[in-house]
Amino acid sequence: MADIKKLVSMLKELDDLLTGCMRCGMCQAQCPVFAQTGKETDVTRGKLALLSGLSDEILKDPEAVNEKLQRCLLCGTCEANCPSGVKVTDIFLRARAILSGYLGLPPSQRLVFRRLLTNPKLMNNLLSLGASLQGLFTKEADGVIGTSCARFNAPLIADRHFKKLASKPLHSVTPKKDTPPGKSGLRVAFFPGCVTDKVFPQVGQAVLKILEHHQVGVFMPPNQSCCGIPALSSGETEVFDKLVRQNLDLFATSKWDYLLTPCATCTATIAELWPKYYGDKMDGIRAANIADKVMDVSQFLHDVLKIPTKESASPAKVAYHDPCHLRNTLKITTQPRQVLAAGGKYTTAELPSGPSCCGSGGSFNLKHYKLSDVIGRKKAESIAATGAGVAATSCPACMLQLADMLSKTGHSIPVKHVVELYAETL
Amino acid sequence: MIRDALKNEFQKIVGKDNVMTEAAELHAYSYDSAVLDQTQPAVVVRPENSESLGKVVKLCNENGLKLTVRGAGTNLSGGTIPHPGGVVCLTTALDKVLEINEEDLYAVVQPGVVTAKFAAQVAAKGLLYPPDPGSQAVSTLGGNVAENAGGLRALKYGVTKDYVMGVDFFDVNGELIRSGGKTVKCVTGYNLAGLMIASEGTLGVFENITLKLVPFPAAYKAMMAVFPDMMDASRAVAAIIANKIVPATLEFMDNFTIRTIENFRKAGLPVDAAAMLLIEVDGHQGQVEDDAAKVEAICKENKATSVRVAKDDAERNAVWQARRDALPALARVKPTTVLEDATVPRSKIPAMMQALDKIAKKYDLIIGTFGHAGDGNLHPTILTDKRDQKEWHRVEAAVDAIFDEALALGGTLSGEHGIGIAKAKYLKNEYGVGAINYSRRMKSVLDPNNILNPGKILGPLLA
């Protein structure tokens, strides 16, 4: 293990960011994890205090601090509501990188990040093998939602009701696309993101259908890499850099006006994190340029294409869940609702509990499934309370969580992406 | 370090998951919202019901363990900073609203209920729980009672103490003491509930609290008045009251605060104004119309350059957004924010403002001031960086000067934040040695082992 002095000196770089916290504790009102546990180490103020303690050498237990630091969904709700404007996500991502560099990631996790994530072809092959075998180990849980659960006792799956890997991922049906701008005069690059590609290919197809309908040219290169957020949030900055560079190279091979993704997390990562954390300073300008052009699909449809809204006499209610990365990071809340309404078939039913994190948080769901489960069940009850026949959101990761929770709580409410519902009205 | 045997005892009472002894966990309870040094407890416990709460108190007393009860830890005077090596008892799991009685207008709550959540539940029944401290989104009712928290509506509706009908609390032996009741009138025995209010956790541990509720006002109207001079704003405040109008809220902001908010929100605030008053009147529709018109006229008579009356809820919200922005905007100017609550009779606000101006100049500090003009409770907010040691010494000297000034003007050390550790040293300046000795004698009888939040209010002599 490296010298603790070195750790302290690395953490000192966070000092300016950390002192901005005036310890008012207002983050307690926002934090979904604290709401469940009531423990100070689970809320932002506590985590910031732990990092300060470590950096001031009052506290000498980096393992414990790292463990507490992982108990965060990175939903950004605290940051969006922080009176002092503390850059919480920035601090946490940097601290995770420093601590995981110091403590080292578990070898299995490191292998996944370094060998698999950075090799899209290998990952695709491996996952399609998985897709063909998964039926042996799983059985149907809810036919309407389309979830499965473990057939045998499987610690990795636990009691999850999950969406299976798609038998035909998007990249196998539509490996690439390169069409000229139509009447819209626009051409967009399309980044479906891993979960869309491998679990919800129909979301990707919906986007392509919408773009074709509105006569928007599409550039979708094959062998796209992950946006990098799983690596970055685990502190694997080298892997993150590699993934960003692979994507930058890929999308630089053609000209386009906007980069669209149907994934709130990918959009937020490309918009905010690529330019901030991409380590290659020489090449940083490319990351900044792409960050300026990335858009959530609904944002593009509403703000750029200005799609018209069809009038409807009796639209069906859709319970809309605001993904944290759209709501907190990108401040996009109206556009998905407008797109839902635009088709003339649906109207948004607001959740009685208000917007809040669904509890997924990417790898948080893997590491702290029990907590993720409690938070998610509340979300499911809130969705059910709207009386809507369909739940929709703008993030495939949230879709996984909502499907799991609605299925487990016995609410047979299908979960759709906003663009799926809009596409069916075209 | 806590002995294993004791740790086991605590685990037996509250369960394994609710006893924290790891260094990182203890570190997270070594501070509150006050800018003070951190001190670590030896153990943190989180009882999930009243019975275990009582047992925790008893166990602490039997073992001479210093006990600090903590809700949201939003205390601004160090009241929830634990005694070194002591016990922190969390109330975050004691968060049930036990009863909301619409016939007799009261509610019974556990101490860990979050103020704003409670207010929302009560409002859903058409009732109002008026105390609304700035931290209400997270602060707990137990803490509000223990500190006698105030808020924006204090001018008309009073502070927390005006709504406490009863407190059931554990004494140091873990015996449940009942006080007050559910009747509007209740003069049975000593006013023990009154004794608990503002006692800052030094006399008992709250088990549940009975709070008075009032009907929600039928109508309200908010307005924003801009003044070229602070004296004019102060005269307007005095004239409003003299005209027998008691607004629900009457808030004040100085020029520095206005400019900082404008810089932060870009909401079109008058950056040249010396002062701004944010006023809301409430009550019956007719009365609200009358009062609002009178207030507008009074402000103009006192040289307000403009008075903007909110026409709808959106405009009303804009008025209050400006007030809500005061702290966030100021907090972003410098890393450390020292928020004080020196309070003077409202007629002395201009004198206090002038004094603050002098103090800022003398100690070369940035002080933004906003607060409750209607009740004289000001929040001079010093913007600094604690890491700059020279400046920090000047901050400490300036804080001393602020309290000297407030007392000289017939004011008080704390309008709503409490004494805690931060202001214990000034206590004799306000009440003299007699009051301190009387309080100490009382505490020594009720808490002979001095386990209940020692060092708070009465200073370190008993600690």
Side-chain angles (χ1 to χ4, degrees):
Chain A
M1 193 175 282
D3 178 14
I4 193 143
K5 289 281 170 209
K6 196 168 172 215
L7 175 69
V8 168
S9 78
M10 287 192 288
L11 285 169
K12 282 283 175 216
E13 292 170 19
L14 298 178
D15 200 41
D16 276 339
L17 291 168
L18 287 169
T19 47
C21 172
M22 60 173 171
R23 299 200 173 160
C24 66
M26 295 305 277
C27 43
Q28 291 171 88
Q30 310 297 339
C31 179
V33 181
F34 179 80
Q36 300 312 318
T37 68
K39 291 182 180 174
E40 183 84 13
T41 48
D42 281 335
V43 79
T44 312
R45 176 175 68 166
K47 292 179 167 69
L48 296 175
L50 292 182
L51 288 171
S52 291
L54 209 53
S55 129
D56 295 341
E57 297 181 76
I58 305 172
L59 191 61
K60 292 174 178 131
D61 190 350
E63 283 94 348
V65 174
N66 191 40
E67 192 253 321
K68 311 290 179 214
L69 203 58
Q70 299 299 324
R71 289 167 66 89
C72 167
L73 291 150
L74 293 176
C75 68
T77 319
C78 56
E79 181 170 341
N81 293 281
C82 174
S84 307
V86 176
K87 304 272 176 263
V88 180
T89 312
D90 199 7
I91 296 171
F92 284 3
L93 288 175
R94 287 180 200 276
R96 284 182 182 193
I98 293 170
L99 283 165
S100 82
Y102 175 77
L103 297 166
L105 275 186
S108 59
Q109 212 176 326
R110 185 148 278 178
L111 191 74
V112 170
F113 283 136
R114 297 201 169 167
R115 297 267 177 243
L116 199 58
L117 208 57
T118 55
N119 190 337
K121 274 187 198 158
L122 177 65
M123 185 155 91
N124 287 343
N125 289 339
L126 212 62
L127 286 174
S128 55
L129 183 69
S132 65
L133 292 175
Q134 61 189 344
L136 292 174
F137 306 102
T138 61
K139 59 182 180 189
E140 185 180 281
D142 186 305
V144 175
I145 306 178
T147 44
S148 304
C149 55
R151 196 182 285 274
F152 314 107
N153 179 23
L156 193 69
I157 299 179
D159 63 342
R160 284 179 171 81
H161 286 195
F162 55 92
K163 297 290 288 190
K164 288 203 286 191
L165 290 167
S167 57
K168 284 193 175 157
L170 184 66
H171 70 261
S172 76
V173 185
T174 314
K176 58 181 180 175
K177 218 164 167 71
D178 197 346
T179 56
K183 268 191 189 155
S184 71
L186 292 168
R187 182 168 136 94
V188 298
F190 183 39
F191 184 88
C194 301
V195 184
T196 295
D197 181 56
K198 287 150 186 71
V199 186
F200 300 110
Q202 67 274 24
V203 171
Q205 298 293 6
V207 174
L208 294 173
K209 180 182 170 186
I210 293 166
L211 294 175
E212 195 178 327
H213 175 85
H214 291 291
Q215 304 206 25
V216 178
V218 179
F219 171 61
M220 180 183 159
N223 295 318
Q224 298 187 15
S225 297
C226 162
C227 71
I229 186 68
L232 187 65
S233 61
S234 296
E236 276 281 335
T237 46
E238 279 174 39
V239 174
F240 173 78
D241 274 3
K242 198 166 174 187
L243 292 168
V244 175
R245 189 171 309 110
Q246 285 172 349
N247 281 315
L248 288 176
D249 289 345
L250 205 57
F251 284 97
T253 59
S254 186
K255 288 227 179 300
W256 39 267
D257 303 300
Y258 299 97
L259 175 75
L260 302 192
T261 96
C263 174
T265 304
C266 295
T267 316
T269 303
I270 298 169
E272 300 282 325
L273 306 183
W274 280 16
K276 202 182 273 176
Y277 297 100
Y278 179 48
D280 189 337
K281 293 278 176 274
M282 298 287 286
D283 200 22
I285 195 132
R286 283 207 297 166
N289 280 339
I290 215 166
D292 285 342
K293 290 182 179 176
V294 68
M295 270 195 185
D296 165 69
V297 178
S298 292
Q299 184 189 10
F300 174 75
L301 293 175
H302 183 262
D303 296 356
V304 179
L305 277 192
K306 302 190 194 308
I307 53 168
T309 300
K310 290 182 203 159
E311 288 303 316
S312 164
S314 54
K317 279 201 290 186
V318 176
Y320 180 69
H321 162 68
D322 284 288
C324 295
H325 287 133
L326 282 195
R327 177 169 67 101
N328 295 324
T329 314
L330 301 169
K331 317 285 178 209
I332 291 174
T333 52
T334 55
Q335 294 94 328
R337 289 169 168 79
Q338 304 273 12
V339 170
L340 268 179
K345 198 172 157 189
Y346 298 109
T347 180
T348 306
E350 299 297 340
L351 308 189
S353 62
S356 64
C357 179
C358 65
S360 165
S363 56
F364 181 89
N365 176 282
L366 297 174
K367 289 175 189 155
H368 305 288
Y369 186 60
K370 268 191 190 165
L371 266 173
S372 174
D373 185 62
V374 189
I375 299 166
R377 279 172 188 265
K378 292 202 167 151
K379 176 60 70 176
E381 295 303 339
S382 183
I383 288 173
T386 62
V390 186
T393 186
S394 301
C395 178
C398 298
M399 288 172 72
L400 285 175
Q401 172 82 343
L402 298 183
D404 182 3
M405 297 302 150
L406 284 164
S407 177
K408 272 205 308 207
T409 50
H411 299 294
S412 268
I413 302 171
V415 180
K416 301 278 182 185
H417 194 290
V418 165
V419 296
E420 284 184 88
L421 297 179
Y422 177 63
E424 69 176 50
T425 66
L426 299 177
Chain B
M1 282 298 288
I2 187 162
R3 281 176 288 126
D4 279 350
L6 263 176
K7 185 178 165 183
N8 286 338
E9 289 294 310
F10 278 120
Q11 285 182 349
K12 265 189 232 161
I13 298 172
V14 296
K16 220 174 167 187
D17 282 352
N18 287 320
V19 177
M20 293 166 256
T21 54
E22 205 185 276
E25 290 168 326
L26 301 176
H27 186 82
Y29 294 98
S30 62
Y31 56 82
D32 59 16
S33 298
V35 190
L36 292 168
D37 291 340
Q38 297 177 213
T39 54
Q40 295 212 7
V43 61
V44 179
V45 294
R46 184 172 181 257
E48 292 181 348
N49 55 55
S50 301
E51 195 191 345
S52 37
L53 177 66
K55 286 180 179 170
V56 165
V57 181
K58 186 165 187 263
L59 187 65
C60 287
N61 192 42
E62 284 168 354
N63 291 278
L65 297 169
K66 310 296 183 192
L67 172 66
T68 299
V69 180
R70 178 186 174 105
T74 52
N75 194 283
L76 281 159
S77 55
T80 36
I81 295 181
H83 195 272
V87 177
V88 167
C89 178
L90 299 182
T91 61
T92 53
L94 302 166
D95 60 351
K96 318 267 171 323
V97 175
L98 303 171
E99 183 187 2
I100 296 177
N101 192 308
E102 295 175 73
E103 289 185 324
D104 294 323
L105 300 186
Y106 69 81
V108 183
V109 300
Q110 289 189 314
V113 172
V114 171
T115 314
K117 281 188 183 166
F118 172 64
Q121 280 189 45
V122 164
K125 296 179 186 291
L127 295 171
L128 175 67
Y129 175 68
D132 57 346
S135 56
Q136 61 173 332
V138 292
S139 69
T140 60
L141 290 165
N144 289 173
V145 176
E147 299 293 333
N148 193 10
L152 269 64
R153 279 193 282 255
L155 173 59
K156 177 171 176 179
Y157 290 97
V159 297
T160 303
K161 73 174 175 193
D162 300 304
Y163 294 87
V164 178
M165 296 169 74
V167 180
D168 292 354
F169 60 93
F170 292 105
D171 71 5
V172 287
N173 301 311
E175 191 171 333
L176 186 61
I177 313 295
R178 296 164 53 77
S179 80
K182 293 169 182 172
T183 53
V184 174
K185 295 173 176 172
C186 172
V187 291
T188 309
Y190 284 140
N191 182 4
L192 297 182
L195 187 62
M196 287 300 123
I197 297 163
S199 66
E200 304 193 15
T202 61
L203 296 176
V205 174
F206 303 170
E207 191 252 357
N208 73 44
I209 303 158
T210 305
L211 295 167
K212 182 168 80 177
L213 306 172
V214 298
F216 215 90
Y220 41 74
K221 192 150 246 178
M223 61 199 93
M224 190 187 271
V226 176
F227 292 88
D229 187 293
M230 203 171 38
M231 288 302 288
D232 295 325
S234 304
R235 277 192 281 267
V237 171
I240 291 167
I241 310 286
N243 276 274
K244 306 198 170 43
I245 300 166
V246 185
T249 41
L250 212 178
E251 295 289 301
F252 164 88
M253 252 176 222
D254 71 355
N255 172 266
F256 181 79
T257 308
I258 297 168
R259 278 187 289 130
T260 311
I261 295 174
E262 182 55 21
N263 204 18
F264 170 62
R265 181 74 62 180
K266 312 259 182 279
L269 296 185
V271 290
D272 298 332
M276 227 163 70
L277 293 179
L278 308 176
I279 309 158
E280 181 160 303
V281 290
D282 70 3
H284 288 294
Q285 188 72 50
Q287 184 200 350
V288 165
E289 294 297 334
D290 283 359
D291 284 356
K294 274 191 211 160
V295 169
E296 191 178 350
I298 292 167
C299 286
K300 284 183 176 156
E301 279 162 26
N302 285 283
K303 300 189 190 145
T305 49
S306 83
V307 183
R308 209 161 86 200
V309 183
K311 287 182 194 64
D312 50 30
D313 274 358
E315 287 191 21
R316 174 187 185 232
N317 196 41
V319 169
W320 293 115
Q321 187 60 49
R323 173 62 178 81
R324 284 193 292 270
D325 281 342
L327 184 57
L330 290 172
R332 285 163 206 239
V333 177
K334 289 261 210 153
T336 313
T337 310
V338 180
L339 177 71
E340 285 303 349
D341 71 329
T343 303
V344 293
R346 62 184 154 238
S347 61
K348 297 289 193 297
I349 287 179
M352 189 66 199
M353 287 302 298
Q354 279 160 1
L356 287 169
D357 206 32
K358 267 191 209 152
I359 291 168
K361 286 203 178 84
K362 178 173 176 191
Y363 297 100
D364 189 20
L365 295 167
I366 306 174
I367 305 182
T369 300
F370 62 98
H372 319 295
D375 53 38
N377 182 191
L378 293 176
H379 291 304
T381 304
I382 306 177
L383 311 178
T384 176
D385 185 340
K386 212 185 163 188
R387 293 169 297 180
D388 179 344
Q389 286 197 5
K390 276 188 185 165
E391 183 169 283
W392 185 248
H393 288 314
R394 299 205 304 276
V395 170
E396 290 177 317
V399 170
D400 289 352
I402 289 172
F403 289 120
D404 284 347
E405 199 62 47
L407 293 180
L409 291 168
T412 179
L413 295 171
S414 176
E416 55 186 3
H417 294 173
I419 298 299
I421 305 171
K423 298 183 210 172
K425 63 175 172 178
Y426 308 119
L427 196 62
K428 66 174 186 313
N429 301 346
E430 182 168 346
Y431 286 140
V433 180
I436 297 175
N437 286 340
Y438 184 87
S439 305
R440 282 180 176 163
R441 282 200 300 277
M442 190 166 70
K443 175 152 168 85
S444 70
V445 174
L446 296 175
D447 178 17
N449 297 326
N450 191 31
I451 66 154
L452 295 176
N453 217 10
K456 313 296 154 58
I457 308 177
L458 301 176
L461 283 182
L462 269 178

